[in-house]
Amino acid sequence: MPPRYTRRLALLAVIVFIAVGLFIVEQRPQHSLETHRFPSLHDLVHDTSTPSNQETHNEELDPCTVLSPQKNFIDLRGLSVIENHHGQDVRHLSWSSRGYDSGHNYTIGVCSGAIKRNLLGSADIIDGLNASEVGAYYIEQSSGRYISMGQVSSKPVYKGRKLTLTYENGTQCNGMTFKDGTPLRRRTILTFTCDREMLTKAHVSYVASVDECTYFFEVRSHLACPTAAKADNLAAIWIFILILLAALLVYFSGGVLYKALKRRPSHL
């Protein structure tokens, strides 16, 4: 049987380990239990959602990345460019979608321009907009000119529990103006849905349009799925290290004390 000192030391190490572990758990970010409703088309069009704390931290993130309300990291850059084995951008990706009720063939970029680089010089954009900044477009069949559906943006945000990316300031909407006479301009709202079972990188579907002025698309992709929260991973690593250190402390110090006490001469 080990001496009482060894048992006391082991008990002290366990108490210290539990106290430090509880402290680390308390420092982990607490997830809000507040329920979030899914945004409707009206909410997305009029942007009635209030900005969350997550949106204020997006400025520190890389373009086309975002933190979910649960602080999980989402990286959409794989939908934007194709990289070579050196990690360098090779070309921008663009996605096609057919609007069966409108008859248009839409081309959409995710965080990047939708018009191919070799067409930038020849693309005739209505209203004289910059072709390199067009995030989504379709070609007018009667004239062959490009209609911009919004300028590209690389800042995805959450509205409720839905991840969205909005392109604004496209070609003017036909005959639609604000009260002060300023013409309304086309815009596009992309909503992203996590789909881990897709065999392809992504699938872009046309959802609807409002007065040929605001367009909605759904992007399904495994790249829209969140990864584990960094803070949670860090806490788990520290807990594992503490367990290992506590076990080593008990093993070595207990053995040393046991041998030292055993060598002491007994007083009869």
XYZ file of all heavy atoms in Angstrom, residues 92-126:
263
model
N -11.239 32.516 -62.029
C -12.448 32.720 -61.252
C -13.539 31.764 -61.733
O -13.649 31.460 -62.921
C -12.934 34.166 -61.383
C -12.065 35.148 -60.669
N -12.121 35.333 -59.309
C -11.116 35.997 -61.128
C -11.244 36.257 -58.952
N -10.622 36.675 -60.036
N -14.328 31.303 -60.785
C -15.448 30.429 -61.108
C -16.701 31.265 -61.328
O -16.906 32.292 -60.683
C -15.701 29.439 -59.969
C -14.671 28.326 -59.764
C -15.003 27.546 -58.499
C -14.655 27.391 -60.962
N -17.542 30.814 -62.231
C -18.870 31.397 -62.405
C -19.864 30.255 -62.530
O -19.530 29.175 -63.027
C -18.928 32.308 -63.636
O -18.575 31.592 -64.808
N -21.075 30.501 -62.062
C -22.095 29.466 -61.985
C -23.305 29.882 -62.813
O -23.692 31.047 -62.821
C -22.497 29.240 -60.529
C -21.324 28.942 -59.646
C -20.548 29.840 -58.980
C -20.769 27.660 -59.370
N -19.551 29.214 -58.296
C -19.662 27.862 -58.510
C -21.099 26.361 -59.751
C -18.887 26.813 -58.037
C -20.329 25.311 -59.273
C -19.243 25.539 -58.432
N -23.897 28.915 -63.495
C -25.042 29.185 -64.363
C -26.320 28.651 -63.734
O -26.313 27.631 -63.040
C -24.838 28.541 -65.739
O -23.681 29.059 -66.366
N -27.402 29.362 -63.988
C -28.707 28.938 -63.490
C -29.773 29.405 -64.472
O -29.711 30.529 -64.988
C -28.973 29.519 -62.097
O -30.211 29.075 -61.593
N -30.738 28.548 -64.713
C -31.809 28.845 -65.664
C -33.039 29.340 -64.927
O -33.521 28.698 -63.991
C -32.157 27.586 -66.459
C -33.372 27.703 -67.369
C -33.104 28.592 -68.550
N -34.238 28.600 -69.480
C -34.319 29.386 -70.542
N -33.330 30.224 -70.828
N -35.366 29.337 -71.333
N -33.532 30.519 -65.327
C -34.780 31.029 -64.770
C -35.939 30.612 -65.657
O -36.219 31.263 -66.671
N -36.607 29.532 -65.295
C -37.621 28.960 -66.184
C -38.841 29.864 -66.333
O -39.475 29.882 -67.387
C -38.036 27.582 -65.662
C -36.931 26.565 -65.775
C -36.147 26.242 -64.672
C -36.649 25.950 -66.990
C -35.119 25.321 -64.775
C -35.620 25.024 -67.102
C -34.859 24.713 -65.987
O -33.834 23.807 -66.095
N -39.173 30.628 -65.304
C -40.325 31.517 -65.435
C -39.962 32.829 -66.125
O -40.818 33.489 -66.709
C -40.942 31.797 -64.062
C -39.952 32.427 -63.101
O -38.743 32.367 -63.387
O -40.384 32.969 -62.063
N -38.690 33.221 -66.073
C -38.272 34.476 -66.702
C -37.694 34.267 -68.096
O -37.661 35.206 -68.904
C -37.224 35.174 -65.830
O -36.037 34.396 -65.747
N -37.211 33.053 -68.366
C -36.618 32.779 -69.670
C -35.173 33.218 -69.803
O -34.594 33.118 -70.889
N -34.563 33.690 -68.715
C -33.179 34.161 -68.771
C -32.222 33.068 -68.302
O -32.562 32.233 -67.457
C -32.995 35.398 -67.890
C -33.860 36.557 -68.274
N -33.926 37.048 -69.561
C -34.703 37.331 -67.528
C -34.768 38.071 -69.605
N -35.257 38.258 -68.379
N -31.022 33.119 -68.839
C -29.921 32.287 -68.357
C -29.000 33.176 -67.521
O -28.352 34.079 -68.053
C -29.150 31.667 -69.525
C -29.969 30.641 -70.272
O -30.646 29.817 -69.667
N -29.927 30.694 -71.606
N -28.957 32.914 -66.230
C -28.205 33.762 -65.314
C -26.805 33.193 -65.097
O -26.599 31.974 -65.066
C -28.920 33.865 -63.973
C -30.323 34.415 -64.065
C -31.426 33.574 -63.972
C -30.548 35.775 -64.245
C -32.714 34.068 -64.054
C -31.833 36.283 -64.329
C -32.918 35.421 -64.235
O -34.195 35.919 -64.325
N -25.860 34.094 -64.919
C -24.489 33.725 -64.568
C -24.126 34.457 -63.281
O -24.279 35.679 -63.193
C -23.499 34.097 -65.681
O -23.901 33.459 -66.900
C -22.094 33.641 -65.326
N -23.658 33.701 -62.296
C -23.409 34.256 -60.964
C -21.993 33.922 -60.529
O -21.510 32.802 -60.727
C -24.413 33.686 -59.927
C -25.848 33.994 -60.351
C -24.144 34.238 -58.541
C -26.544 32.841 -61.015
N -21.330 34.880 -59.945
C -20.060 34.648 -59.276
C -20.258 34.694 -57.772
O -21.150 35.386 -57.281
N -19.455 33.959 -57.052
C -19.514 33.968 -55.589
C -18.271 34.685 -55.077
O -17.153 34.172 -55.184
C -19.592 32.541 -55.014
C -19.580 32.575 -53.491
C -20.840 31.834 -55.515
N -18.464 35.895 -54.589
C -17.365 36.736 -54.082
C -16.384 37.132 -55.179
O -15.275 37.593 -54.884
C -16.606 36.039 -52.954
S -17.592 35.641 -51.506
N -16.738 36.949 -56.424
C -15.852 37.316 -57.530
C -16.699 37.689 -58.735
O -17.894 37.376 -58.794
C -14.906 36.162 -57.882
O -15.633 35.039 -58.326
N -16.067 38.361 -59.699
C -16.785 38.784 -60.884
C -17.327 37.612 -61.679
O -16.693 36.558 -61.784
N -18.515 37.810 -62.261
C -19.158 36.730 -63.006
C -18.729 36.694 -64.469
O -18.844 35.659 -65.124
C -20.676 36.874 -62.917
N -18.236 37.805 -64.996
C -17.839 37.863 -66.406
C -16.399 37.378 -66.542
O -15.513 37.812 -65.800
C -17.978 39.296 -66.952
C -19.434 39.765 -66.822
C -17.534 39.371 -68.401
C -19.659 41.188 -67.289
N -16.163 36.477 -67.470
C -14.833 35.922 -67.664
C -13.846 37.022 -68.059
O -14.201 37.999 -68.715
C -14.866 34.827 -68.733
C -15.697 33.615 -68.332
C -15.674 32.551 -69.424
C -16.488 31.335 -69.017
N -16.482 30.283 -70.071
N -12.605 36.819 -67.664
C -11.595 37.854 -67.884
C -11.385 38.155 -69.362
O -11.135 39.299 -69.744
C -10.277 37.412 -67.243
C -10.334 37.346 -65.714
C -9.032 36.843 -65.125
N -9.092 36.782 -63.666
C -8.115 36.313 -62.902
N -7.000 35.865 -63.465
N -8.250 36.290 -61.588
N -11.476 37.132 -70.202
C -11.247 37.369 -71.630
C -12.402 38.112 -72.295
O -12.299 38.525 -73.453
C -10.993 36.045 -72.353
C -12.170 35.087 -72.226
O -12.944 35.173 -71.279
N -12.304 34.177 -73.174
N -13.527 38.292 -71.565
C -14.674 39.015 -72.119
C -14.835 40.408 -71.520
O -15.749 41.138 -71.919
C -15.963 38.215 -71.880
C -16.044 36.831 -72.536
C -17.339 36.135 -72.132
C -15.954 36.948 -74.052
N -13.979 40.776 -70.577
C -14.150 42.058 -69.895
C -14.047 43.236 -70.864
O -14.763 44.232 -70.730
C -13.108 42.202 -68.780
C -13.265 41.261 -67.579
C -12.135 41.482 -66.578
C -14.615 41.472 -66.903
N -13.168 43.134 -71.824
C -12.985 44.253 -72.746
C -14.113 44.412 -73.742
O -14.382 45.534 -74.212
N -14.798 43.323 -74.067
C -15.843 43.379 -75.091
C -17.257 43.391 -74.515
O -18.217 43.632 -75.256
C -15.703 42.177 -76.033
O -15.811 40.954 -75.311
N -17.408 43.135 -73.222
C -18.748 43.083 -72.623
C -19.360 44.482 -72.579
O -18.764 45.417 -72.040
C -18.671 42.492 -71.218
N -20.548 44.616 -73.152
C -21.263 45.897 -73.188
C -22.323 45.878 -72.084
O -23.379 45.265 -72.226
C -21.902 46.095 -74.559
C -22.604 47.447 -74.677
O -22.406 48.297 -73.781
O -23.363 47.635 -75.650
N -22.034 46.563 -70.978
C -22.932 46.573 -69.827
C -23.875 47.765 -69.939
O -23.431 48.900 -70.150
C -22.155 46.654 -68.499
C -21.004 45.640 -68.486
C -23.087 46.430 -67.328
C -21.436 44.213 -68.533
N -25.167 47.513 -69.818
C -26.139 48.607 -69.824
C -25.866 49.528 -68.635
O -25.551 49.077 -67.536
C -27.572 48.045 -69.773
C -27.874 47.266 -71.056
C -28.596 49.154 -69.577
C -29.262 46.668 -71.104
